[in-house]
Amino acid sequence: MVASSNAVEPCPDCGATVAGGTAGCQSLMDELLARDFSDVTYFRVHRLLVDTYSLQHPERYCASVKSLAAHLTGLCWLLEHDGNRAVGNEALRRWLNRNPRLDKPELPSFRGKLTIASAQAASDSIRYAEAVELWARSTWEAYSALQPLARCWIQQGLDASPRKR
Ligand SMILES: [Zn+2]
């Protein structure tokens, strides 16, 4: 397929209307990630950004069940347990690093109405954090069929942690 790299077309994964489609969407993400590491006021929702974007682009970021579990439990932890939106949960990370046996479920094809475009449009770090939160909740809603699995994996991860809360 021959297409101008600047053509405004929807990203096939998340539906964001961005110049350059998939590549344009990815470069938006790269910009937001780079800003996180240069400005601590944006880094406050770094993990929320990563988990949300990854769940909207699972072909790239959730190819293995381990990476899916990382992002699915990650988002669940942040939204349902009011976890640390900058860095996530260390006990869950340690559990996944031990490669627990997990089965990969079917993923939703619709991944929510909001996309990275809504976060990118925010004019300052406060509005940005609010936009990422709304985008994250909309994505979590689209993953409603997998929410019980996410909760079950979180329980497994916390139970397996030597330092339980
Ligand atoms: Zn996208």
Side-chain angles (χ1 to χ4, degrees):
M1 191 175 74
V2 179
S4 157
S5 63
N6 289 322
V8 175
E9 56 190 53
C11 168
D13 297 311
C14 70
T17 308
V18 291
T22 299
C25 186
Q26 180 65 53
S27 66
L28 273 190
M29 179 58 176
D30 293 342
E31 279 168 32
L32 296 191
L33 286 175
R35 186 173 61 183
D36 277 4
F37 290 106
S38 65
D39 186 336
V40 69
T41 65
Y42 284 89
F43 191 83
R44 282 189 295 225
V45 291
H46 173 72
R47 179 65 200 244
L48 190 60
L49 164 70
V50 169
D51 287 332
T52 302
Y53 189 83
S54 299
L55 287 172
Q56 281 198 327
H57 301 80
E59 287 78 8
R60 243 171 296 154
Y61 293 104
C62 305
S64 69
V65 65
K66 183 178 174 179
S67 55
L68 172 70
H71 297 303
L72 194 65
T73 60
L75 192 59
C76 184
W77 179 258
L78 300 183
L79 296 181
E80 297 195 347
H81 297 261
D82 197 25
N84 182 319
R85 282 156 170 72
V87 295
N89 181 297
E90 184 56 32
L92 293 175
R93 197 162 17 244
R94 281 198 304 268
W95 168 64
L96 285 166
N97 280 339
R98 292 197 298 273
N99 297 306
R101 227 197 84 77
L102 305 169
D103 293 317
K104 192 171 178 185
E106 197 152 325
L107 302 182
S109 52
F110 174 69
R111 295 160 195 159
K113 270 187 290 207
L114 296 178
T115 68
I116 191 168
S118 64
Q120 198 251 350
S123 55
D124 61 43
S125 64
I126 306 281
R127 290 186 183 91
Y128 170 75
E130 289 167 357
V132 173
E133 184 81 20
L134 288 176
W135 169 33
R137 290 188 183 280
S138 146
T139 305
W140 182 234
E141 196 53 46
Y143 268 78
S144 60
L146 297 189
Q147 289 178 4
L149 180 63
R151 292 172 194 129
C152 167
W153 280 347
I154 283 183
Q155 196 56 53
Q156 277 185 51
L158 297 183
D159 286 348
S161 168
R163 280 186 294 160
K164 271 167 72 173
R165 287 181 310 150

